[in-house]
Amino acid sequence: MTAVLTERQKKWFATVQANLEKKTGKPLADWVAIMKACPETAPRAQAAWLKAEHGVGQNHAAQILDACRPADGPGWDDPEALRAALWKDPASLAILEAVEHVADGVEGVISGQRKGYTSFSRSVQFAAMRPLKGGRALLGLKLSPEVSPRLSPSARRESWSERLTATVELDAADQVDAEISRLFAQAADKG
């Protein structure tokens, strides 16, 4: 398993970037200047402000906000640093590594690192994980929660794909067992 974007994801990001000016009527540099007038400081609130005040969609808002961030933190081009920043807790990291071991056994899986979660894709994303407080982790899967008593419906809106409708909280790496392996492979097949 390699930590990269799928070809489909690369093409999608390139399309979003190429169409910013066409869709919004302004180049990225103009949007960066407009953001100086934004009264909000939190990224979600800034994105909401862009939508409410300027009609900018979520994907282009993310592109604009990324361009406004200081370059001192890790970005998309440094997945190792993003991973280290997100998975600081050794117990949570051990859970991620256990799931990555499962992913290594499923053909064609690509892992990608985002600021707030680690994604798993084939042609599209079918699973994602983020750390939880207390050395735990949340695994989201593209499955119906009814396929296993271990799964729950997604209780809140996550930053990962809305297609990941089932979740399971993992308290330790040893909970990544045969059932989680089966569910992960099933989600990969559906994805």
Side-chain angles (χ1 to χ4, degrees):
M1 182 177 62
T2 308
V4 295
L5 297 174
T6 66
E7 288 305 315
R8 182 176 175 172
Q9 289 166 332
K10 288 177 190 175
K11 183 178 178 182
W12 181 83
F13 278 112
T15 300
V16 169
Q17 290 174 344
N19 288 334
L20 174 71
E21 187 170 356
K22 179 180 172 188
K23 294 281 186 177
T24 67
K26 294 178 178 59
L28 185 57
D30 288 0
W31 285 111
V32 170
I34 288 169
M35 285 305 297
K36 292 177 183 172
C38 179
E40 304 295 341
T41 57
R44 284 187 188 202
Q46 289 174 325
W49 180 83
L50 279 168
K51 182 174 185 173
E53 296 297 319
H54 299 283
V56 174
Q58 179 178 346
N59 295 325
H60 286 123
Q63 181 184 3
I64 293 164
L65 294 177
D66 188 55
C68 293
R69 287 193 187 97
D72 59 350
W76 288 84
D77 58 344
D78 193 354
E80 312 263 328
L82 285 173
R83 177 187 165 106
L86 181 63
W87 296 95
K88 291 182 257 191
D89 186 295
S92 293
L93 178 60
I95 298 169
L96 172 67
E97 289 170 343
V99 171
E100 288 175 331
H101 181 71
V102 167
D104 285 339
V106 179
E107 187 177 338
V109 173
I110 294 174
S111 177
Q113 188 60 55
R114 310 294 186 267
K115 184 177 179 181
Y117 62 92
T118 301
S119 68
F120 299 92
S121 306
R122 275 187 168 160
S123 60
V124 297
Q125 183 178 319
F126 66 85
M129 280 189 73
R130 69 174 174 85
L132 297 173
K133 291 181 182 177
R136 300 165 43 245
L138 182 69
L139 174 63
L141 297 166
K142 184 183 178 190
L143 290 174
S144 170
E146 292 80 30
V147 301
S148 171
R150 299 259 316 260
L151 297 176
S152 300
S154 187
R156 58 171 258 191
R157 187 174 173 150
E158 297 289 342
S159 60
W160 56 49
S161 173
E162 66 279 352
R163 291 185 306 266
L164 308 185
T165 55
T167 60
V168 58
E169 289 188 18
L170 300 166
D171 296 330
D174 63 359
Q175 290 184 338
V176 182
D177 55 13
E179 174 70 356
I180 295 298
S181 297
R182 181 186 72 78
L183 294 169
F184 188 92
Q186 187 176 351
D189 288 342
K190 287 184 167 264

